[in-house]
Amino acid sequence: MLVIKKTIFWTAIVFIGLTIFALTVGQILPYEFADYKIMHKFYDTIMQGLPIAILLTLFGTIKLQDTKAKNWTFLGLTVLTSIFSFFIMVSLIFKIGFGAWTTVTTIYRHKTEDRVIKDQLFDVGALGYGGQRIVEIKPFLKYWILPTTIDTLTINKDEWQFVNEQGDIKFP
């Protein structure tokens, strides 16, 4: 039983660490999710899971050898922190949980490497579009990409093939 409690506790701690990293440092890294569906599932999971993970840390903080006052203090602080994190996650859901760069057109495809140049809009659902960019997309591992803003007038046309493929936004 002790092994299960420690496993639950440390899994919750790792989840909390991942959540804090994703919502702070992860937001300023230049890498993005390759697929907006995976991105939305990831952020939904960490936003809904953080209050639960905080509550699960009780498996490692409440101990029989501690005094009742100390255990009740840990319990109260953990529950308050969980409630506080829930309200923070609800407020962040509109800032982070929605919106993704959506490809309008794949303009160029590199002839020898796995790179493309895309015209993209920042789609925020019912709120419209929040910006436009033309970027060179380089895959990173399997689920991420490294987009770099690029000027299509300055590229070497011998290295790129003009494809003009329709992207995720469908036009009639």
Side-chain angles (χ1 to χ4, degrees):
M1 188 67 166
L2 183 63
V3 173
I4 293 173
K5 284 184 178 182
K6 283 188 174 190
T7 303
I8 291 172
F9 175 76
W10 286 109
T11 303
I13 292 294
V14 168
F15 186 88
I16 292 167
L18 175 68
T19 302
I20 291 169
F21 175 81
L23 296 176
T24 56
V25 176
Q27 296 298 309
I28 58 174
L29 291 176
Y31 298 98
E32 298 176 2
F33 282 95
D35 184 6
Y36 72 93
K37 294 174 188 170
I38 294 172
M39 179 196 72
H40 286 300
K41 286 180 184 176
F42 173 78
Y43 284 116
D44 286 346
T45 301
I46 65 170
M47 288 187 179
Q48 294 169 9
L50 182 63
I52 296 166
I54 291 172
L55 285 175
L56 288 175
T57 61
L58 287 172
F59 281 102
T61 54
I62 304 269
K63 298 178 179 118
L64 291 175
Q65 64 265 24
D66 289 341
T67 64
K68 282 189 176 185
K70 187 175 181 180
N71 283 338
W72 279 106
T73 303
F74 278 133
L75 177 68
L77 288 174
T78 303
V79 169
L80 287 175
T81 304
S82 183
I83 291 169
F84 179 70
S85 72
F86 172 76
F87 286 113
I88 288 176
M89 293 298 112
V90 168
S91 69
L92 283 177
I93 218 164
F94 293 105
K95 182 176 181 185
I96 297 171
F98 296 112
W101 287 103
T102 305
T103 300
V104 177
T105 308
T106 300
I107 306 169
Y108 291 100
R109 192 173 308 281
H110 199 274
K111 290 181 179 177
T112 59
E113 298 177 26
D114 187 16
R115 297 185 307 176
V116 291
I117 296 176
K118 296 183 176 189
D119 179 17
Q120 296 183 326
L121 289 173
F122 191 74
D123 185 3
V124 284
L127 302 175
Y129 296 102
Q132 182 175 9
R133 69 182 185 180
I134 295 178
V135 290
E136 177 183 351
I137 304 288
K138 295 177 188 174
F140 176 74
L141 299 175
K142 183 178 179 178
Y143 297 106
W144 294 277
I145 57 171
L146 177 60
T148 309
T149 304
I150 192 167
D151 183 4
T152 55
L153 298 175
T154 61
I155 64 170
N156 183 354
K157 304 279 193 218
D158 295 333
E159 296 178 359
W160 296 89
Q161 177 185 2
F162 182 73
V163 291
N164 199 27
E165 295 173 352
Q166 185 176 11
D168 299 327
I169 299 176
K170 305 296 182 198
F171 296 104

